[in-house]
Amino acid sequence: MSAKLSTTGPKATASSCSNIAFIKYWGNADQQLRLAASPSLSMNLADLTITATVHFDPALEQDELIMNDVPAEGNAAERVFTHLDWVRRRAGLADRASVITHSNFPTGAGIASSAAAFSALAVAGAAAAGLSLSQAELSALARRGSGSASRSVPDGFCQWLANGSDDDSYATSIAPADHWALCDLVAVVSSEHKQVGSTGGHGLADTSVLQTARLASAQDRFAHCKAALLDKDLATMGPIIEADAVIMHAIMMTSRPPLYYWTPATLEIIHATAQWRADGLPVYFTIDAGPNVHLICEAGYADQVDEAARSLPSVKEVLRSGVGSGTQLVEA
Ligand code: DP6
């Protein structure tokens, strides 16, 4: 595959944040369309961003993807090209495209990047194709590439409700980025590439006998978490986000085949978080589909949490982020 940059044709660049879910998306009502089986709630991460440039070029024979200056092939590239097909179909466009992405966070750190990547890709792709889409349509477009990407399109704190149909399954902002100065400190314990990614994991969720109970109780956790978030009440929200993450991991561990994302270091940080709280530091954890632990606190406590996390020998690095805005079209 050629790594050259296209020089003709419509082109657009968008920049987007990753996000961390307080109430998790795990399992789909429609796996192919990524229609979530339960509602999720998240915060955009201002300091973990990806910029994507999409350039439709009649001279190209095939789509091209360059990630952080390296030409990409295989599954990662196919997933992006399939997403471009959605844009082409909608715009009635046949041209192939070159896609160039840059992330500002270490890609080897085991931090999920699909949310930032597909939200940036949706906004840049739609603009390059000459489509004028609403924020809801852009969020739904991002969702088709990666479910969590739907939540990176709107501003600040976002919800994505369950069981919509293709066009009405999108995320909306429930509060702007400046609503509450929360901080996510990601305690990185492993940067290994996971053997089963989120997409495969979602497909296994229904094989866990616990998923029915999780789905039956998800709306309740979502409603309580949302109310606490709007009230800026971390003491109420914290235990809900911890429970929701652990319940999701219980589904993973009891799926067939099981997915064990936790390592001993993960559990060590879970215990440490409870101890830090007992010592007076208001901090709570959440964990995505990997072993790294996201420590959530108000910004005024971030330095103390950072120091506490770094004091654990198993923590290799700590990435810090405040609350971010929605996807921005940088250049069109
Ligand atoms: C654990 O959005 O990464 O981070 O749609 O297959 O790309 P795909 O899955 P993805 O799943 C996110 C899983 C999670 C929880 C969350 O972000 O809600």
Side-chain angles (χ1 to χ4, degrees), residues 21 24-25 34 79 114 146-148 151 198-199 202 248 288-289:
K24 306 292 187 187
Y25 152 53
R34 294 184 159 86
R79 197 168 161 185
S114 68
S146 174
S148 55
R151 298 186 311 241
S198 299
T199 306
H202 288 294
M248 177 182 73
D288 275 348

Side-chain angles (χ1 to χ4, degrees), residues 223-268:
H224 285 107
C225 186
K226 180 176 170 179
L229 196 160
L230 292 174
D231 281 352
K232 298 183 242 183
D233 177 359
L234 190 59
T236 299
M237 188 174 119
I240 304 172
I241 72 172
E242 291 191 344
D244 193 79
V246 173
I247 290 169
M248 177 182 73
H249 279 270
I251 303 302
M252 294 160 164
M253 292 181 206
T254 52
S255 290
R256 290 195 306 270
L259 301 174
Y260 297 105
Y261 288 117
W262 291 5
T263 65
T266 311
L267 204 51
E268 186 191 351

Side-chain angles (χ1 to χ4, degrees), residues 196-237:
V196 179
S198 299
T199 306
H202 288 294
L204 294 176
D206 283 339
T207 66
S208 165
V209 293
L210 304 180
Q211 176 72 341
T212 311
R214 174 178 171 268
L215 295 180
S217 55
Q219 178 61 36
D220 199 47
R221 280 189 301 282
F222 172 82
H224 285 107
C225 186
K226 180 176 170 179
L229 196 160
L230 292 174
D231 281 352
K232 298 183 242 183
D233 177 359
L234 190 59
T236 299
M237 188 174 119

